[in-house]
Amino acid sequence: MLAIFAVQLTLAVLVTSVFACIQYRPLLFFSSGHTNNWAVLVCTSRFWFNYRHVANTLSVYRSVKRLGIPDSHIVLMLADDMACNHRNPKPATVFSHKNMELNVYGDDVEVDYRGYEVTVENFLRVLTGRLPPSTPRSKRLLSDDRSNILIYLTGHGGNGFLKFQDSEEISNVELADAFEQMWQKRRYNELLFIIDTCQGASMYERFYSPNLMALASSQVGEDSLSHQPDLAIGVHLMDRYTFYLLEFLEDIHPSSKANMNDLFKVCPKSQCVSTPGHRTDLFLRDPGSALITDFFGSVRKVEITMETINLTEPIQQTYSYVDQLPVSEIIHQKPKQKDWHPPDGFILGLWTLILLVFFKTYGMKHLKHIF
Amino acid sequence: IIVGVPLWWRTTETYRAWLPVSQINELSNLQLQLSAEVEVVFARGTVTPEQQKKVPLTQIQDEEHTVDGDLFINAVCLVVTKIRRLQGNICLKCVFSRGHSFEVQDMDVYVGQRRTALLRIGAQMRVGKTLDQLLAHLEPRIKQVLQVMSFSHTDISAALSDRVRLSPGNKESIADSMRTFKSSPGYEITFSLLNPDPKSHRLHWDIEGAVQTYIQPLLTKLASVANFSIDSQTLYYAMLGVNPRFDSSLSAYTLHSDSLAHVINPVEARLGSNAASSNPVLNFLLYVPDAHHSPLYIHDRKKQEVPSNAFHSPRWGGIMVYNVNGFYGPEAVFPVDVNINMAKVMGVFLAQLRLLLGVQSSTAPSGFLVAPCGSNGLADWELDRLMWSRSVENVATATTTITSLAQLLEQIGNIVINDNIAEQVSSAVTSLQLAVAELETGNLRFALQYSKEAILASERAFFDPSLLHLLYFPDDQKFAIYIPLFLPMCVPILLSLLKIVSDARQKRREKQAKKD
């Protein structure tokens, strides 16, 4: 009897405390100002020994999906396929922890840009929205002015640049300009930029658009180090910063109240060897009021529908069905126009030079043979 | 050098078609003038004949509002007073009548389904008053009606929120602007039936008929605002992501409003979408609970049942829970055939659709009684209101797009501007100018049409795939490219020039020596 009463009392206490939280909910509706979440996760390096970069990206992908962002709102770009690589002793898996505890490749991975499609051009096109009309919906970033976007980049980088595919690079100025264009077109409400490369802090130095928050795994002049090699697979599995980031995110669930200040504490110098940095001066809200789930998860705002329309009598009128999109707009194929440009000025000069030298050495009498 | 250098310069410069930059700069200082026409009709017996003669025929009222200091709006209201029968024009009508036509005692204004508002005349009016007092009595009431039925300062500010980032005003307007979809040339509406328990329930819904009967009239009326395309699907074994709690007092399962936010995400992964278009999607889900969890009710924060049993998410869509346990008894043979009552379902979905499209305004001020919307689901003045805010929103968005595009192209001198982009920009600029002119005169349909053309052209120009500034060449890289090519060539030229100069000097010295 007493036990039941005690249980009822605790239940009552629980209910009242939950009720107290509910009263603060209306404020939360307006504090973040976003209605949907997007994520752009990019791994920029290829080759088997860069296994850890693919594992980094896939572990962030896994956390983001677990916290609620659907595949239709995630643009995942992986420069190489590690799971089906010939050198992978455990095919169809990508592990993020030694002893193969966590397979981040799973059976529900949707890669939008793969292999050689991951280029600087495609990345900038996705961000600014300047994609050719034939691009499918899953490859587009269809965000609006109420979207919070998470952008995660990993790979090899240096002071002011990030290397793509071992052949090209994106500079911090280009990235800042791309974000400014996104702001001009109001393609985001708030943007969280995380980069895990060597000298990563240089990539966010040049940002100048509002509502950006940036985190990097290392400062300028420092290298980001990898976590641990796995002897069975033979390569390093994860980078340190993302490893501890994944550990931190595994504790977050969709209704968690952890905020950005906790994220800044992830991977201190003792664990990471490099010094993670962050930049919040362009962010209008206080980072302590921004929840982790504002960017990593997708907590929907919900309103109860209070009104209904009384439709008891069907209307006896016939209307034509709404027109579907005309076929010409669905299959948009405009032939590529290649304009003929006159030869480059340099080539012209070179040929003129060669001709002059030729006629100087062999004399002008040969001219009449040509013309 | 004389031939080569200009030739080289001409052939290495990037092709940039001409853009109307001066007109674009003009547009950035946007001055919008919105005018709404109102006809004021006095019913018989409300105004004495002497007052009738004194009331002016037209009166214009200006109101200037500044939004963020950068943009001015004048709301011009033409008040034309005539004493005649009602006719079917497109402008608003405010009809003043005596008290006995009103049924409810404390109601002052009745807003009808088309464009008419019935206002109760005050008792003071019946006594002979001077003209100024008459007008002073009329004007604020007409202004109030206009704010409800056409546009108000908050509506226009919300529509311009793309251009000016407003600091939080009142909460309702923010919720409205967050809830409604942004103006877009097309929308996709998807109706989904979620059946988690096909073994118990075999559901039949006449979605095509219901859409044609209930939803299509609304969409046809909104055809001038946007194109709509409708899909429907049925999903089997689609569960809610949340476990409902059993409430023994109601002997039913309940979903608390806090857990509703987590319902949408697991389901959204399984909803498809049209891969061909990039239009925003409105999802309407009808969830029929499985036999073990029936009936299922949604409770609001005060633990009370929600009559519609539905909820919606801003800029996403709505979900309704439809209980079918009442259709069969406990001894029924499973699976049971159930015909869903589409009228009830569509009533809820229609209400949610109105909210999400921005048709439903926030609650009317006190003393106003709004007639229920007609068979179309949309009153004429609600459509006008939507058209006002859409036109302003389109104009603001198109202006921002064009000005930022011009700024971008000016800043980065290396981008190639093709002819088609220049064409789109010019047509966007002309459409914008026309739209602003039409807004000034109050031709709402033309203003909306021009603003839509402006938005289409500006978006096409801004998002053209050829405008990628990958040609980011810092100056030191340019030097690094050209120096190894030109330096070896320049060395013999420089040496020969030096030789010529020294020869000339020597000759001059010889001449000098000869002269001496």
Side-chain angles (χ1 to χ4, degrees), chain A residues 15 18-19 22-23 25-27 29-30 32-36 67-73 120-122 124-125 128-133 135-138 140 142 144-146 168-169 171 173-174 177-178 180-181 183-189 206 208 211 254-255 297-325 329-330 334 339 341-346 348-350 353, chain B residues 7-8 11-12 161-165 171 174-175 177-179 182 188 208 211-214 216-217 220 228-231 256-258 260-262 264-265 268-269 273-281 298-303 306-308 310-316 343-344 346-348 350-352 354-355 360 373 375-377 397 400-401 404-405 407-408 411-412 418 420 459 461-470 472 482 485-486 489:
Chain A
V15 162
V18 164
F19 194 73
I22 293 166
Q23 281 164 337
R25 274 311 174 106
L27 294 172
F29 186 106
F30 304 110
S32 65
H34 75 281
T35 58
N36 52 38
L67 290 172
I69 303 187
D71 272 314
S72 53
H73 285 231
V120 175
E121 182 186 339
N122 279 347
L124 288 179
R125 281 192 191 281
T128 53
R130 295 208 171 93
L131 290 155
T135 317
R137 220 187 159 108
S138 58
R140 288 182 189 256
L142 294 168
D144 54 25
D145 65 322
R146 294 269 174 208
E168 50 181 9
E169 53 196 38
S171 63
V173 182
E174 282 178 340
D177 284 340
E180 174 64 15
Q181 287 195 52
W183 174 250
Q184 289 284 333
K185 209 57 191 73
R186 298 288 185 270
R187 277 165 71 79
Y188 67 88
N189 177 37
R206 299 292 194 108
Y208 55 93
N211 269 342
S255 44
S298 174
V299 182
R300 299 277 181 179
K301 313 284 193 298
V302 159
E303 283 178 326
I304 308 274
T305 310
M306 286 306 185
E307 299 174 15
T308 61
I309 297 181
N310 215 344
L311 293 172
T312 41
E313 282 143 30
I315 300 114
Q316 260 86 36
Q317 270 167 338
T318 50
Y319 286 98
S320 61
Y321 229 155
V322 66
D323 289 337
Q324 298 289 328
L325 284 173
E329 266 180 61
I330 297 175
K334 207 174 169 179
D339 297 321
H341 289 290
D344 211 6
F346 169 67
L348 269 180
L350 194 63
L353 193 68
Chain B
L7 199 65
W8 166 73
T11 47
T12 49
S161 64
D162 186 62
R163 201 178 146 81
V164 280
R165 257 304 158 149
K171 283 187 179 159
I174 300 179
S177 73
M178 272 174 72
R179 185 192 310 126
K182 296 282 291 170
E188 285 188 29
E208 284 187 35
V211 160
Q212 252 188 344
T213 323
Y214 301 115
Q216 194 54 44
T220 318
F228 292 91
S229 80
I230 308 187
D231 305 309
H256 199 260
S257 62
D258 285 336
L260 291 176
H262 305 293
I264 297 181
N265 284 326
E268 188 173 359
S273 61
N274 188 359
S277 82
S278 323
N279 288 331
V281 180
I298 298 179
H299 280 194
D300 63 6
R301 294 205 183 94
K302 302 191 195 88
K303 301 269 180 71
V306 173
S308 61
F311 62 99
H312 58 269
S313 178
R315 296 206 184 175
W316 183 80
K344 182 168 156 217
M346 282 301 165
V348 173
L350 205 59
Q352 288 177 338
R354 279 163 54 94
L355 273 171
Q360 189 99 349
C373 51
S375 56
N376 287 333
T397 317
T400 325
T401 312
S404 64
L405 180 64
Q407 215 177 6
L408 168 75
Q411 253 181 349
I412 304 177
N418 287 327
N420 64 328
E459 299 268 312
F462 192 89
F463 286 120
D464 192 272
S466 71
L467 280 182
L468 204 58
H469 58 291
L470 274 189
Y472 172 68
Y482 281 120
L485 295 169
F486 284 124
M489 287 201 292

Side-chain angles (χ1 to χ4, degrees), chain A residues 3 16 40 69 83 99 103 110 123 139 142 164 174 204 226 228 243 255 258 271 290 312-313 335 346 355 366 368 371:
Chain A
T16 48
V40 179
I69 303 187
N99 305 328
N103 174 20
E110 186 187 293
F123 177 59
K139 282 189 166 178
L142 294 168
F164 266 71
E174 282 178 340
Y204 60 67
S226 57
Q228 51 195 199
F243 181 80
S255 44
Q271 283 175 325
T312 41
E313 282 143 30
F346 169 67
L355 279 172
H366 288 269
K368 62 178 190 294
F371 295 110

Side-chain angles (χ1 to χ4, degrees), chain A residues 211-264:
Chain A
N211 269 342
L212 293 177
M213 185 161 18
L215 280 108
S217 60
S218 54
Q219 301 290 335
V220 176
E222 285 180 350
D223 289 336
S224 268
L225 300 175
S226 57
H227 187 64
Q228 51 195 199
D230 182 290
L231 296 174
I233 297 183
V235 286
H236 288 262
L237 292 184
M238 281 274 269
D239 279 334
R240 283 182 192 238
Y241 182 74
T242 313
F243 181 80
Y244 290 108
L245 181 68
L246 176 64
E247 227 178 56
F248 171 76
L249 287 175
E250 289 285 308
D251 288 333
I252 307 281
H253 52 91
S255 44
S256 153
K257 293 282 167 285
N259 59 35
M260 285 295 155
N261 286 331
D262 302 324
L263 193 61
F264 297 152

Side-chain angles (χ1 to χ4, degrees), chain A residues 43-112:
Chain A
C43 161
T44 60
S45 38
R46 51 173 38 238
F47 305 129
W48 171 246
F49 48 82
N50 289 323
Y51 182 103
R52 59 190 188 279
H53 297 140
V54 174
N56 287 351
T57 320
L58 283 172
S59 30
V60 177
Y61 173 76
R62 172 208 146 79
S63 311
V64 148
K65 261 183 82 158
R66 189 178 56 83
L67 290 172
I69 303 187
D71 272 314
S72 53
H73 285 231
I74 302 179
V75 178
L76 179 62
M77 303 170 81
L78 295 180
D80 204 356
D81 187 5
M82 296 305 167
C84 300
N85 196 309
H86 298 299
R87 294 166 75 169
N88 191 348
K90 306 263 182 232
T93 60
V94 172
F95 290 109
S96 70
H97 194 272
K98 68 171 182 209
N99 305 328
M100 299 184 227
E101 277 172 18
L102 189 57
N103 174 20
V104 289
Y105 198 68
D107 51 359
D108 196 14
V109 170
E110 186 187 293
V111 182
D112 300 306

Side-chain angles (χ1 to χ4, degrees), chain B residues 80-135:
Chain B
V80 177
T81 61
K82 287 173 200 156
I83 315 290
R84 56 180 176 79
R85 292 191 316 130
L86 299 172
Q87 280 181 20
N89 281 344
I90 206 163
C91 55
L92 280 184
K93 290 199 190 354
C94 297
V95 181
F96 284 97
S97 79
R98 309 187 80 178
H100 55 251
S101 57
F102 287 71
E103 292 164 13
V104 183
Q105 264 311 99
D106 54 351
M107 175 189 64
D108 284 330
V109 184
Y110 177 76
V111 178
Q113 276 180 14
R114 294 199 188 277
R115 290 186 178 89
T116 316
L118 275 166
L119 293 99
R120 184 212 295 264
I121 212 126
Q124 316 91 296
M125 289 286 295
R126 304 212 192 111
V127 185
K129 289 272 180 181
T130 64
L131 176 66
D132 291 329
Q133 280 164 332
L134 181 73
L135 287 174

Side-chain angles (χ1 to χ4, degrees), chain A residues 188-206:
Chain A
Y188 67 88
N189 177 37
E190 288 168 349
L191 202 141
L192 177 63
F193 175 76
I194 304 184
I195 184 160
D196 187 355
T197 65
C198 306
Q199 308 192 51
S202 62
M203 289 304 281
Y204 60 67
E205 270 171 10
R206 299 292 194 108

